[in-house]
Amino acid sequence: MPDYGRDLLFGAFITPAAAPPQHAVGLAVAAEAAGLDLAAFQDHPYQPRFLDTWTLLSYVAARTTRLKLVTDVLNLPLRQPAVVARSAASLDLLSGGRLELGLGAGAFWEAIEAAGGKKLSPADAVTALEEAIRIIRGIWDVSTKAPLRVDGRIHRVDGAKRGPAPAHDVGIWLGAYKPRMLRVTGEVADGWIGSLGYLRAGMQELAELNARIDDGAASAGRDPSDVRRLLNIRPSSDTPGWTERLAELALDYGISGFILASDDAGELARFGHETAPAVREAVAAARSGRN
């Protein structure tokens, strides 16, 4: 697989635990102090053990100055797309352009139904995601005064007012593993965000996922490098070997974002102060040698 040449991002995937309520916020502050680029939070609105993700992101934004804020990934079946668009734009404006919007088509459907959502078939869930992206980007597009109309099968808006526009070009990163979702990622998304632990076939599966995203991008007339590839990863005690593995993922599999799943401030500090610089140095040296 190619190296897409993207700058490398390193971040923290922090559990949005409700007890103690300030713990996740403190870890995000620690991630920023460690020099990490982003803090990412999962979104399960039906989970009583978790804080609401939007509320948590807003609080973290107020406690940090540089850290990017990422939904990893937002549960669309329980969040209306036009409201998501305005929530995202509002947080991006208030944080000075620090939001990236990870979206998911949905999982844990029984819990979603129990919380008032509608269970969708796998095909309809992808259709709903595509329609939601059109609505979100349409709300953000204030270059036209015409009201937004999207006549979708799952999501519709009929004359919605546009705005506000976010402070920067917010990336839409999709959590995707199935063929159609991967193709949609290549066609319309700004990034793919997955978890290394979900790839049961390892690097071969990652190569296949990348190829499907690339095919989707090509079919839409896009450059595959337009789609950033990010991975949620687990800590490793073998720092030298881990550095080499992450560099390999960047150089041979196109991964340009590494998000450490850890609720340990010490692990986040080592990741930011030691691992991230070492991986950046290794990747830069390899890229320089190719030129």
Side-chain angles (χ1 to χ4, degrees):
M1 293 301 299
D3 171 14
Y4 300 104
R6 302 290 298 255
D7 61 307
L8 300 186
L9 297 176
F10 294 84
F13 183 67
I14 299 167
T15 305
Q22 292 290 335
H23 186 59
V25 178
L27 287 171
V29 172
E32 181 170 76
L36 293 175
D37 304 297
L38 59 89
F41 299 93
Q42 58 191 291
D43 178 47
H44 297 283
Y46 40 77
Q47 176 54 265
R49 294 185 295 106
F50 290 171
L51 296 166
D52 171 69
T53 297
W54 275 124
T55 307
L56 174 59
L57 284 172
S58 299
Y59 207 99
V60 170
R63 290 285 307 278
T64 56
T65 60
R66 179 189 54 80
L67 204 65
K68 290 182 181 293
L69 313 164
V70 182
T71 54
D72 187 358
V73 289
L74 202 71
N75 186 294
L76 270 177
L78 285 173
R79 299 187 181 277
Q80 207 276 343
V83 176
V84 168
R86 294 196 170 98
S87 297
S90 298
L91 184 53
D92 197 57
L93 288 164
L94 290 167
S95 67
R98 292 192 282 136
L99 177 72
E100 306 296 347
L101 186 62
L103 299 178
F108 306 104
W109 289 103
E110 290 184 3
I112 288 171
E113 281 190 298
K118 180 181 179 182
K119 183 177 182 179
L120 299 175
S121 69
D124 282 349
V126 179
T127 297
L129 179 70
E130 291 180 284
E131 294 169 355
I133 292 172
R134 289 174 58 196
I135 292 170
I136 291 168
R137 287 192 170 139
I139 294 291
W140 290 345
D141 181 10
V142 296
S143 65
T144 176
K145 299 299 183 183
L148 176 64
R149 290 182 170 82
V150 175
D151 187 17
R153 273 201 311 114
I154 312 297
H155 296 300
R156 299 181 183 181
V157 292
D158 187 10
K161 294 182 178 180
R162 300 174 190 262
H168 88 296
D169 189 10
V170 174
I172 293 181
W173 299 347
L174 301 187
Y177 298 95
K178 300 297 184 181
R180 185 180 166 199
M181 274 284 288
L182 291 165
R183 186 172 186 84
V184 169
T185 302
E187 290 173 344
V188 302
D190 303 297
W192 172 81
I193 186 167
S195 295
L196 188 59
Y198 287 0
L199 305 181
R200 297 179 181 178
M203 297 303 98
Q204 177 59 37
E205 185 174 357
L206 181 57
E208 292 171 358
L209 294 177
N210 263 327
R212 291 185 185 276
I213 294 171
D214 291 351
D215 288 345
S219 71
R222 305 177 70 201
D223 189 322
S225 66
D226 291 343
V227 184
R228 182 184 283 279
R229 323 295 162 102
L230 306 99
L231 274 180
N232 300 314
I233 59 175
R234 294 288 178 184
S236 172
S237 59
D238 183 8
T239 301
W242 199 29
T243 297
E244 294 170 1
R245 188 182 188 198
L246 297 186
E248 177 190 8
L249 284 167
L251 294 166
D252 296 337
Y253 296 91
I255 302 301
S256 60
F258 300 97
I259 309 173
L260 185 70
S262 176
D263 294 330
D264 184 288
E267 287 181 339
L268 296 179
R270 288 190 293 274
F271 192 58
H273 292 308
E274 300 174 13
T275 304
V279 175
R280 284 193 170 104
E281 182 179 357
V283 170
R287 287 174 173 172
S288 178
R290 291 174 177 176
N291 295 333

